[in-house]
């Protein structure tokens, strides 16, 4: 059992599921992966051609971080706020994945980041459906 | 001239306006005000009746913080991502204001927080229009 | 191989180790666990007696989040800045663990949070030694 | 009266001062200024020579953001945690200022960022003295 599962399982309102725990974990890891991809791009000799990628990595990292926090809360959930933040996260992950995919062949960090953003995008879409 | 104006004015792409600097300042202060309202609610003798307010304050603080960061960036702006995050911020500010308005008569921090969220909501709506 | 390992392995400067990847993962999960413990405390009928715990959870979450971001960056590392932030993280995890341990018998979320904070505190101490 | 003053004044525990409100405002604006300096550096034609500056701007932004949140909370203040985070903030502002000062002559955003970091560093030192 992961830490996220244990935390969801011990919440006083008991409403949460394993799918939710997995989604929280993935969104939170995606924030971290985007942070690290921005930093790796910054360390590349070709940094001048990676400006758009760094910009999107930083935006996506910040949006995933906030989304992971908001989705993790189970007390008095404000559903329309959660939905709006999930939509922003879907847009951010989709745009960041699209940009990183263009560099995936040459840079491993962009390949891993693109894959993680695509999985995170899907997890957010699934969460959004379950909230509607 | 505020710090935000100076920073916008010295950006290498020069495209930004005073309205934008004012919006960045307001969204950033709204994040801080929501953080402080959650903390003040936590310090009230009647904390058990303020759970929904604390939850919304925390969500709105986190969303405003991320929005202020993303809106402040002017390099290679990903417009649809910015729009989606502004929409999440509008929803968060609107819900947080609505909740705080119910306590505004009795608690000064909820009154100031409700007013700030309403102004921030409007600033985000104006930015959203200017990006469309 | 975890995502953190893949990202560390694909960094252009190659200097990072598996221990670092594990530490980044743990500090990042600790941020999430503290966020969820604050929310769980807020959902408890006895919230009025958990105010100090919520406050420390929120501070520790925010400090772990920033620490996980800073430790993850490997480009042009500013060592004395990283050291100072690790020391703040050690202090936050230690205080949060101490508080949560007092409620661990009655509340599962405080038990898991206390254990995670203790492991995170140790990971930060190990990282700090490796940077000296 | 600024928003920060109003929020400090309406806190249920009434202990806070105008100096504190000014410090919260400054630390929070410094986070924003560092975010904007990183983005401006990213937009410069000479980005390859600004890598160390971007890295420090991002670290300092994140540390100031967390510090502004923690210092703003007045309920059940954990003093040794606050002190440790202030020390990290002092180190971050000092290093970021030193780096930006080297580019201040040629780039307005680095000049404003260096000045803001120096003022923020001093505000944190003053807060730290008042907490000892």
């Amino acid at each position: 059992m992961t830490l996220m599962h244990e935390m969801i399982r011990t919440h006083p309102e008991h409403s949460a599921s394993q799918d939710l725990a997995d989604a929280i974990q993935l969104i939170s890891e995606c924030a971290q992966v985007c942070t690290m991809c921005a930093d790796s791009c910054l360390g590349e000799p070709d940094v001048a051609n990676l400006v758009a990628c760094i910009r999107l990595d930083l935006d996506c990292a910040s949006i995933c971080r906030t989304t992971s926090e908001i989705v993790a809360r189970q007390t008095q959930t404000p559903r329309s706020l959660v939905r709006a933040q999930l939509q922003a996260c879907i847009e951010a992950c989709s745009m960041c994945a699209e940009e990183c995919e263009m560099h995936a062949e040459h840079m491993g960090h962009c390949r891993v980041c693109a894959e993680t953003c695509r999985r995170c995008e899907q997890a957010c879409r699934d969460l959004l459906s379950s909230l509607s």
Side-chain angles (χ1 to χ4, degrees), chain A:
Chain A
M1 189 158 54
T2 66
L3 282 170
M4 298 304 121
H5 288 133
E6 286 199 79
M7 288 309 288
I8 285 289
R9 202 177 51 88
T10 57
H11 191 281
E13 299 187 8
H14 304 281
S15 59
S17 70
Q18 177 146 351
D19 280 357
L20 178 64
D22 290 341
I24 295 167
Q25 176 98 26
L26 182 55
I27 302 167
S28 172
E29 291 194 16
C30 191
Q32 204 65 12
V33 166
C34 290
T35 297
M36 294 166 91
C37 188
D39 177 71
S40 286
C41 287
L42 212 52
E44 293 284 355
D46 194 27
V47 57
N49 285 316
L50 293 167
V51 167
C53 194
I54 295 172
R55 161 76 208 245
L56 278 166
D57 280 335
L58 292 175
D59 282 2
C60 194
S62 183
I63 287 179
C64 285
R65 232 174 282 280
T66 282
T67 308
S68 73
E69 220 184 277
I70 281 166
V71 163
R73 293 190 187 115
Q74 295 297 308
T75 298
Q76 307 252 9
T77 300
R79 292 167 82 92
S80 64
L81 177 156
V82 177
R83 275 197 295 264
Q85 188 56 41
L86 282 169
Q87 265 150 347
C89 200
I90 289 166
E91 188 63 32
C93 287
S94 162
M95 292 188 80
C96 191
E98 202 172 333
E99 176 68 33
C100 280
E101 281 157 4
M102 300 185 337
H103 316 290
E105 213 179 311
H106 306 295
M107 291 180 295
H109 49 85
C110 281
R111 182 183 49 73
V112 180
C113 189
E115 290 166 3
T116 308
C117 284
R118 287 292 179 212
R119 289 171 53 213
C120 186
E121 182 190 350
Q122 190 55 53
C124 289
R125 286 193 197 282
D126 294 344
L127 262 185
L128 195 58
S129 305
S130 76
L131 278 169
S132 296

